[in-house]
Amino acid sequence: TTAPYTTALVVGTGYGSAVTALRLGEAGIRTTMIELGQQWTTAGPDGKVFCSTLNPDRRSMWFHRRTEAPLDTFLWLDVVNRDIGTPYAGVLDRIDYPNMGVYVGRGVGGGSLVNGGMAPTPQRAYFEKVLPQVDAAAMYARYFPLARRMLGVNTIDPRYLEKTPAYQYARVSRKHAHQAGFKTAVVPNVYSFDYLEREERKEVPRSALAGEVIYGNNHGKQSLDKTYLADAIGTGNVTIRTLTRVTTIRRYGKGYLVGLEQIDASGKVLKRSELACRYLFLGAGSVGTTELLLRARETGTLPDLPAAIGTGWGSNGNVMTARANHAWDPTGSLQSTIPTLAIDNWDDPVNPAFAEIAPLPVGLETWASLYLAITVNPERGHFTYNHATDRADLHWSAGQSAPSVRSAQALFDRINRATGTTYRRDLFTGNRAFAADFCYHPLGGCVLGQATDLYGRVIGHPNLYITDGSLIPGSLGVNPFVTITALAERNLSHLLTTDLKNR
Ligand code: FDA
């Protein structure tokens, strides 16, 4: 018997996969996308597709009994997280390893469904350091602008930023940063600021102003399902299968055969099947892609995969921290979930940090300033395949987070000294001021130029490609999705004129 066949198979529907599917579809190549999560288009009993951070239900998390928001407690009370009943195919996953929890999105659109939409382009000098073999001139002239346009990146109107109560929290943090002599920067976003202004005027349903973000935005955000993926479907050559996990990969003629496991929203396995393809693109994200290839190498279905698979992983130096403001510096009870300002201390030669000013949208005054800092952390983790669990284990020690904390602390100690403020220790368990044991920006595992050639071709494996954040070696200096998108655009444009030409 022969297995069902598609010309190109794309694993996942995040940034790298969405770019890949659109460009393959445009080139007339029949493409099937396989996505583990749901298609988030059906409203629940409350009339909404997604639930808010303030009132989470089973839609919030991917097969968890309780939410696992990044803040553990508030005023040391266990009031942040909620029981959400029987496990369900919700939109946000947290994959826990011994010293690191990795947050990822699940559904058609991957991380774009749950992220904050922040869309900065890295400083060119740092990009050149991270990916020296990639032609930066072409990236900055062509692929970054293309990615920003395709993703719908826009910037807040400065007049609105200065007057709206919804960004008082950002202005307070900016003032304190300036008092300490730091620069701040406005960060572009894919959330429509025009929509946000209309939310505030109560002309449209609220989303960013209604506490919606990490469990999905019902309105306002240009997530991938509304941009790249809509265009990909529009080519007529791309289809998406949801609630389906790619489990195994083996060679099959000139192409590959993947094992599929279809589940229902309660996690019950409905069907196991196989799908053959000529071209296989892996876009399951840093953790997902690395796990698929490690499994293939270690179980012997693709035994000659490079030793570099599973190495070069980093958290983009993510650290979360919070400061306690004086009574005369309230941060506001209405806070937009969409961050728009950052403290830019990237040029500090010893402790570089880019710290986004994050909201604490709990609907009441907290006098807290929250931050997600991106730092330079030279430590790298690696994955090994665990035969007993059939999963990849991340090796990352608690000590490996220390450089991230040091750089963030240098910045916020200086702000606290300049303004006479202190850290909030009630938000993370153990009275900690800094949390570097989870991340939003997993990067690496299948690094460009090591596990693959300079265009994402897996070494020694014709027609097998990597197209997501696993290509980026652990650090980028800014939030990563614009770069993941631009790099995928660059790689695809090369592959379409080489491997995929004259098929
Ligand atoms: P991505 O993770 O987006 O997509 C992978 C997809 O593959 C997922 O849909 C997954 O379900 C699917 N998949 C995995 N394994 C599979 C399998 N075996 N079979 C089938 N499908 C499988 N970045 C940024 O630039 N600005 C920001 O503001 C933020 N904020 C932010 C907040 C939060 C809460 C999170 C979790 C993340 C962010 N990020 C962010 C990070 C950003 O979302 C992330 O870097 C990108 O989504 C990564 O894109 P990828 O294409 O690598 O994979």
Side-chain angles (χ1 to χ4, degrees):
T1 59
T2 52
Y5 174 83
T6 177
T7 309
L9 194 153
V10 179
V11 184
T13 55
Y15 292 90
S17 301
V19 171
T20 303
L22 171 60
R23 299 309 174 200
L24 294 177
E26 281 178 341
I29 299 169
R30 288 263 166 208
T31 302
T32 305
M33 305 185 83
I34 306 289
E35 170 56 50
L36 181 53
Q38 308 201 54
Q39 168 119 48
W40 290 92
T41 44
T42 312
D46 60 354
K48 292 181 178 162
V49 172
F50 297 110
C51 60
S52 84
T53 52
L54 291 176
N55 199 10
D57 57 32
R58 66 177 194 167
R59 292 169 290 186
S60 62
M61 299 221 45
W62 179 256
F63 298 108
H64 281 61
R65 289 187 181 278
R66 196 168 164 74
T67 61
E68 281 188 58
L71 302 184
D72 300 315
T73 53
F74 184 72
L75 297 172
W76 293 278
L77 298 173
D78 187 13
V79 291
V80 177
N81 287 303
R82 304 266 180 90
D83 290 328
I84 48 175
T86 45
Y88 179 78
V91 73
L92 180 68
D93 195 4
R94 175 174 162 135
I95 309 166
D96 276 309
Y97 300 107
N99 300 295
M100 180 58 68
V102 180
Y103 284 97
V104 293
R106 295 271 180 244
V108 174
S112 77
L113 297 168
V114 297
N115 68 35
M118 297 183 85
T121 300
Q123 265 195 16
R124 181 160 168 174
Y126 194 67
F127 177 84
E128 289 177 355
K129 214 186 289 179
V130 170
L131 288 168
Q133 326 93 310
V134 172
D135 178 3
M139 288 296 291
Y140 282 78
R142 194 150 156 224
Y143 298 111
F144 277 120
L146 173 64
R148 289 192 296 258
R149 189 171 77 240
M150 293 293 300
L151 292 167
V153 174
N154 70 154
T155 305
I156 194 168
D157 179 340
R159 285 164 304 184
Y160 176 66
L161 170 62
E162 296 314 320
K163 66 168 201 254
T164 174
Y167 284 114
Q168 187 176 328
Y169 75 92
R171 297 192 300 267
V172 165
S173 274
R174 181 181 61 185
K175 179 178 80 177
H176 293 163
H178 291 172
Q179 278 173 22
F182 291 112
K183 286 187 298 185
T184 55
V186 171
V187 183
N189 204 289
V190 297
Y191 195 93
S192 163
F193 286 107
D194 178 56
Y195 190 90
L196 186 61
E197 289 192 38
R198 288 193 285 138
E199 282 178 51
E200 190 173 326
R201 298 197 298 266
K202 301 202 164 132
E203 294 167 13
V204 290
R206 288 187 165 189
S207 183
L209 298 190
E212 294 178 357
V213 64
I214 60 171
Y215 305 138
N217 280 100
N218 286 299
H219 309 280
K221 200 207 281 176
Q222 291 285 93
S223 45
L224 288 168
D225 50 316
K226 303 192 173 63
T227 59
Y228 273 101
L229 292 170
D231 291 351
I233 301 292
T235 66
N237 291 316
V238 177
T239 54
I240 304 178
R241 271 200 228 169
T242 58
L243 287 172
T244 305
R245 181 195 295 271
V246 172
T247 53
T248 56
I249 306 171
R250 59 182 76 240
R251 279 228 66 124
Y252 190 70
K254 287 188 171 165
Y256 294 87
L257 184 67
V258 304
L260 302 178
E261 197 176 86
Q262 195 192 333
I263 60 169
D264 68 14
S266 76
K268 197 174 123 206
V269 177
L270 301 178
K271 194 174 135 194
R272 290 199 171 81
S273 62
E274 288 181 321
L275 183 59
C277 63
R278 177 72 182 269
Y279 305 100
L280 178 56
F281 287 86
L282 303 181
S286 165
V287 170
T289 291
T290 305
E291 180 166 277
L292 277 170
L293 289 180
L294 266 186
R295 180 183 297 130
R297 190 180 71 199
E298 300 306 318
T299 60
T301 63
L302 296 176
D304 299 326
L305 282 169
I309 302 282
T311 66
W313 186 87
S315 66
N316 204 17
N318 281 186
V319 195
M320 205 168 237
T321 188
R323 295 174 40 254
N325 292 308
H326 296 295
W328 57 85
D329 270 334
T331 50
S333 55
L334 175 69
Q335 300 198 4
S336 167
T337 57
I338 298 301
T340 195
L341 289 177
I343 303 168
D344 185 357
N345 192 34
W346 199 253
D347 293 329
D348 185 308
V350 185
N351 288 305
F354 182 79
E356 70 183 58
I357 299 172
L360 198 54
V362 292
L364 46 90
E365 181 55 50
T366 64
W367 284 278
S369 286
L370 188 67
Y371 307 88
L372 179 71
I374 296 167
T375 59
V376 176
N377 184 335
E379 295 289 338
R380 292 293 172 267
H382 71 278
F383 292 89
T384 54
Y385 175 70
N386 182 329
H387 286 269
T389 59
D390 193 29
R391 306 306 295 253
D393 291 337
L394 173 64
H395 301 270
W396 179 270
S397 69
Q400 288 181 288
S401 294
S404 304
V405 172
R406 264 200 303 277
S407 287
Q409 181 157 12
L411 193 163
F412 292 105
D413 277 0
R414 205 168 116 191
I415 294 182
N416 281 338
R417 271 197 306 273
T419 58
T421 51
T422 56
Y423 291 105
R424 290 280 295 241
R425 293 179 179 275
D426 59 320
L427 303 177
F428 309 107
T429 47
N431 283 345
R432 289 173 301 157
F434 297 92
D437 56 347
F438 68 83
C439 75
Y440 286 166
H441 302 163
L443 294 171
C446 307
V447 170
L448 191 84
Q450 298 176 20
T452 72
D453 76 352
L454 297 185
Y455 294 94
R457 299 176 179 105
V458 177
I459 305 288
H461 291 72
N463 300 345
L464 178 60
Y465 310 91
I466 297 176
T467 188
D468 57 24
S470 61
L471 293 170
I472 297 173
S475 171
L476 196 59
V478 293
N479 318 60
F481 73 62
V482 168
T483 305
I484 294 170
T485 304
L487 191 63
E489 287 280 19
R490 166 199 176 264
N491 293 350
L492 257 292
S493 104
H494 179 78
L495 296 173
L496 282 166
T497 58
T498 52
D499 305 30
L500 296 156
K501 205 179 160 196
N502 310 319
R503 280 167 294 117

